[in-house]
Amino acid sequence: MPGLEDLYREIILDHYRTPRNRGELDSPPAIETNGHNPLCGDEITLFLLVDDASKGDAATVSDVKIGGQGCSISQSSASMMSQAVIGKTAGEARALIRRFKSLMSIEGIELQPGDDDIALGDLEALQGVVKFPVRIKCAVLSWNTLADALDRATSEPPASG
Ligand code: ZN
């Protein structure tokens, strides 16, 4: 009977081989943000489309597309991240970023009430990464890129003629 580690490995490989939400969005209106992990060579291009950006944390993440290339951890993490945040509010997405970075033992993350209750779904498969500190940067690359994109999406004035 396969153990939990085998199951997690299968989930990671599935997202690596069949990445979800791969592609591009028109920018604008989408925000395009790039992330790079020089330690491993991972690259992420993230397209984020937010509805009602002026609502700040109550704005809705309506679409995410992912481009780039890199190791299985970076690419599968980006795939899972895209799947997890589409349809959430910007505030919920930020809470999930805190939750995931806390799972990765990133220092300086201040969890807020309720963050511990957020369901991780497939993201649980990445928890073993924490045992390999050099890979943590791979796993959080797309999340840092998402955080940048969320900040830009909810702070930039909407484009107008
Ligand atoms: Zn990597």
Side-chain angles (χ1 to χ4, degrees):
M1 197 180 147
L4 197 56
E5 298 223 342
D6 294 318
L7 174 67
Y8 285 165
R9 192 173 303 122
E10 273 309 305
I11 293 172
I12 291 169
L13 284 175
D14 177 53
H15 278 271
Y16 179 55
R17 291 176 181 141
T18 315
R20 318 301 199 265
N21 302 301
R22 190 90 189 160
E24 299 183 358
L25 295 171
D26 287 338
S27 172
I31 301 274
E32 177 182 348
T33 311
N34 296 291
H36 182 216
N37 171 20
L39 288 177
C40 181
D42 307 314
E43 292 174 359
I44 293 284
T45 302
L46 184 145
F47 296 86
L48 172 73
L49 191 63
V50 166
D51 282 348
D52 298 323
S54 61
K55 291 184 182 171
D57 270 356
T60 304
V61 176
S62 54
D63 207 358
V64 172
K65 291 275 191 238
I66 305 285
Q69 55 197 351
C71 69
S72 59
I73 299 296
S74 68
Q75 302 302 306
S76 63
S77 182
S79 170
M80 294 179 203
M81 178 273 287
S82 69
Q83 209 173 29
V85 298
I86 292 174
K88 284 192 160 59
T89 65
E92 289 168 339
R94 287 191 169 100
L96 187 61
I97 293 170
R98 290 193 298 271
R99 176 84 167 89
F100 183 73
K101 290 174 92 167
S102 158
L103 184 74
M104 292 293 114
S105 295
I106 302 292
E107 290 179 14
I109 302 300
E110 287 183 33
L111 285 178
Q112 295 181 17
D115 286 358
D116 275 336
D117 302 329
I118 297 169
L120 287 166
D122 282 358
L123 290 163
E124 283 187 17
L126 289 167
Q127 63 185 267
V129 169
V130 80
K131 286 183 282 188
F132 307 96
V134 73
R135 309 308 301 277
I136 292 174
K137 282 194 182 346
C138 304
V140 299
L141 173 65
S142 56
W143 296 82
N144 287 333
T145 311
L146 173 67
D148 288 350
L150 279 170
D151 286 347
R152 284 176 55 199
T154 53
S155 66
E156 283 182 1
S160 62

